[in-house]
Amino acid sequence: MKYLTQKESQNLDLELMNTSLEMAGGFHLPQLMELAGLSVAEAVYKAYPPQKFPKVLVCCGPGNNGGDGLVAARHLSHFGYSPAVYYPKPSPKDFFKGLVSQLHHLQISPTSSLEDGKTFKPDVLVDAIFGFSFSGPIRPPFKEVIEWFFKKDAPIVAVDVPSGWPIDSAPLLEKPAAGDTSSESYHYEPDMLISLSAPKHCAQYFKGPHYLGGRFIPKELAKKYRIDGLPAFQGTDQSTKL
Amino acid sequence: MKYLTQKESQNLDLELMNTSLEMAGGFHLPQLMELAGLSVAEAVYKAYPPQKFPKVLVCCGPGNNGGDGLVAARHLSHFGYSPAVYYPKPSPKDFFKGLVSQLHHLQISPTSSLEDGKTFKPDVLVDAIFGFSFSGPIRPPFKEVIEWFFKKDAPIVAVDVPSGWPIDSAPLLEKPAAGDTSSESYHYEPDMLISLSAPKHCAQYFKGPHYLGGRFIPKELAKKYRIDGLPAFQGTDQSTKL
């Protein structure tokens, strides 16, 4: 299986949204984010159905990974879940404000308090904090969130990349023997990973259930990035188990 | 079942995309069009699977109904179809140009020639020419297209509204006894209808297989427009048979 480096992921993203004639992916961010978030919600549904896991807490970071989370939360609501959203650093961009409005209309009020998130007692946690652009260090308030992830109060589904993992190298999964157990010195292990478009380099070190979402890469781009060998999506599914 | 009038449909659309605080749907057009087009492709897949009906010709009008068609064509390609697109009046808007670029990247070159469309010998036709904003009269080149639909060279799937039908009254489905058989004096009957968000008034006169797509209406808006009694979508499906 081909894994994308951080640089390749960034280039693929740029090409998808490029509007020049030469390499016109021609996508607008709202389209890609809608399909990515929908595929996340679908994969969560497959692994953690709402009948058994009704309460999903989606933890959203400040950037596009967080946006995928906001979209996923909306679709989870339509799929019959009772989602809650932790979104402590809301983007000032109009489009992101719209994503939040859409949630309000489903009676979901994103909170900036991690305590609220914990009190919600989620059946599943979605980690949509950092994506493939992450380079660290982890700053507050997200440091605290990721440290909470270590506790595994509920199964954790990571979107694209487990937050805090280096994109292009191996995570540190063993707790250091010495006292230093901060989120910089070792990395939490999610219970499930949903790679978007293609797995990132660090995904090869994840041994749990691994889904692929983001069904929008044209064949020629898939060839160029050598991700055309990935397992095919089935039927009209927007996600597939790898 | 509740059917929306043209005015109600227009108001619902405006509310979905409203960004004022009072009634903030907060959606951006690319999001709604992506979900609408995806649901159309999914419903086509359910009724006309690609193994038996590989060649789909999507006929796209100049407005948003045409945009839904462009999005549907892209998803049909990802679902394993060989779609072709007839799009004689391309919108000059950037977002629509992007939708066309996205098709080019899947080796789909929209044509403005109806002859090309006929030569393609489609297994299924998608009518994405006019939506709920239609008020007539039908001008060239679409007059010719709709007259072609009467021939039923392939099963026809109408998106939201069969093109040419009045939105708020009954279509004229019987061929007039006298010679006047132009597309203004009577209306073609599709083989399948996919209503988006909710059926429009004229949908009650359609007796064939009827699907609902556009799974994005928040409950409070559904209540306000009295479309909350529509059959529920199942699981993660973006379309459902009514």
Side-chain angles (χ1 to χ4, degrees):
Chain A
M1 190 142 72
K2 162 75 182 169
Y3 297 88
L4 294 179
T5 63
Q6 185 165 47
K7 190 72 202 152
E8 285 172 326
S9 308
Q10 285 163 340
N11 287 342
L12 174 58
D13 218 39
L14 286 175
E15 284 204 53
L16 281 168
M17 288 189 272
N18 200 297
T19 50
S20 79
L21 273 180
E22 301 294 294
M23 41 182 243
F27 278 101
H28 286 230
L29 180 67
Q31 298 180 275
L32 298 182
M33 202 169 270
E34 195 61 37
L35 294 174
L38 176 63
S39 70
V40 167
E42 192 189 284
V44 167
Y45 191 98
K46 286 174 181 173
Y48 300 102
Q51 297 76 15
K52 281 190 68 181
F53 302 87
K55 293 200 286 177
V56 180
L57 177 66
V58 186
C59 300
C60 298
N64 288 353
N65 202 252
D68 295 339
L70 296 172
V71 172
R74 170 162 42 82
H75 287 289
L76 287 168
S77 169
H78 284 292
F79 294 170
Y81 291 86
S82 302
V85 172
Y86 168 71
Y87 187 41
K89 292 275 173 199
S91 165
K93 290 179 191 162
D94 269 353
F95 172 61
F96 280 77
K97 284 184 183 168
L99 294 178
V100 171
S101 284
Q102 294 153 31
L103 290 172
H104 279 291
H105 274 251
L106 297 166
Q107 279 71 50
I108 301 164
S109 302
T111 178
S112 59
S113 148
L114 186 59
E115 268 321 301
D116 285 354
K118 291 178 185 176
T119 311
F120 178 64
K121 293 198 187 301
D123 301 309
V124 178
L125 281 164
V126 174
D127 163 12
I129 296 179
F130 301 124
F132 62 75
S133 305
F134 175 75
S135 61
I138 304 166
R139 294 202 177 78
F142 298 109
K143 206 167 170 315
E144 192 194 352
V145 184
I146 292 171
E147 277 159 22
W148 178 44
F149 287 169
F150 279 98
K151 294 215 172 138
K152 288 284 179 81
D153 283 348
I156 304 174
V157 175
V159 176
D160 209 22
V161 171
S163 296
W165 287 30
I167 311 304
D168 289 340
S169 55
L172 301 162
L173 296 175
E174 301 234 343
K175 198 171 177 159
D180 179 11
T181 57
S182 70
S183 53
E184 269 105 286
S185 68
Y186 87 116
H187 301 106
Y188 95 93
E189 271 192 282
D191 296 272
M192 172 173 151
L193 174 64
I194 306 165
S195 293
L196 296 173
S197 304
K200 312 305 172 284
H201 180 88
C202 62
Q204 63 196 284
Y205 304 101
F206 175 69
K207 302 302 174 203
H210 187 183
Y211 287 77
L212 181 68
R215 187 178 186 177
F216 47 65
I217 306 290
K219 262 188 205 144
E220 61 181 87
L221 269 187
K223 258 191 193 159
K224 181 168 172 184
Y225 286 84
R226 291 177 294 132
I227 54 175
D228 49 335
L230 284 172
F233 293 94
Q234 298 300 307
T236 62
D237 281 11
Q238 298 297 304
S239 63
T240 189
K241 201 169 178 190
L242 294 178
Chain B
M1 189 142 71
K2 162 75 182 168
Y3 297 87
L4 294 179
T5 64
Q6 185 166 45
K7 192 72 202 149
E8 286 172 324
S9 308
Q10 285 163 340
N11 287 342
L12 174 57
D13 218 40
L14 286 176
E15 284 205 53
L16 282 168
M17 289 189 271
N18 200 298
T19 51
S20 80
L21 273 179
E22 301 295 294
M23 41 182 243
F27 278 100
H28 286 231
L29 180 66
Q31 297 181 276
L32 298 181
M33 201 169 271
E34 195 61 38
L35 294 174
L38 176 63
S39 70
V40 168
E42 192 188 284
V44 168
Y45 190 98
K46 286 174 179 170
Y48 300 102
Q51 297 76 15
K52 279 191 69 182
F53 302 87
K55 292 199 287 177
V56 181
L57 177 67
V58 186
C59 300
C60 298
N64 288 354
N65 201 252
D68 295 339
L70 296 173
V71 171
R74 169 160 45 82
H75 286 289
L76 287 169
S77 169
H78 283 292
F79 294 170
Y81 291 87
S82 302
V85 173
Y86 168 71
Y87 188 41
K89 293 274 174 203
S91 165
K93 290 178 190 162
D94 269 352
F95 172 61
F96 280 76
K97 284 184 184 169
L99 295 178
V100 172
S101 285
Q102 293 154 31
L103 290 173
H104 278 292
H105 273 251
L106 297 167
Q107 278 71 53
I108 302 165
S109 303
T111 178
S112 59
S113 149
L114 186 58
E115 269 319 303
D116 285 354
K118 291 179 183 173
T119 311
F120 177 65
K121 294 197 184 302
D123 302 310
V124 178
L125 281 164
V126 174
D127 164 12
I129 295 179
F130 301 124
F132 63 74
S133 305
F134 176 75
S135 61
I138 303 167
R139 293 203 177 78
F142 297 110
K143 205 166 170 312
E144 191 194 353
V145 183
I146 291 171
E147 277 160 22
W148 178 44
F149 287 169
F150 279 99
K151 295 215 172 138
K152 289 284 180 82
D153 283 348
I156 304 176
V157 176
V159 176
D160 209 20
V161 171
S163 296
W165 286 31
I167 311 304
D168 289 339
S169 55
L172 302 163
L173 295 175
E174 300 234 344
K175 198 171 176 159
D180 180 11
T181 57
S182 70
S183 53
E184 268 104 286
S185 67
Y186 87 117
H187 302 105
Y188 95 94
E189 272 192 281
D191 298 272
M192 171 173 152
L193 174 63
I194 306 165
S195 293
L196 297 173
S197 304
K200 313 303 171 286
H201 180 88
C202 62
Q204 62 196 286
Y205 304 101
F206 175 69
K207 301 302 173 204
H210 188 184
Y211 287 77
L212 182 68
R215 187 177 185 178
F216 46 65
I217 306 290
K219 261 188 206 144
E220 63 180 85
L221 268 185
K223 258 191 192 157
K224 180 169 173 184
Y225 286 85
R226 292 178 294 132
I227 53 176
D228 50 336
L230 284 172
F233 292 94
Q234 297 302 306
T236 63
D237 280 11
Q238 298 297 304
S239 63
T240 191
K241 202 170 177 188
L242 294 178

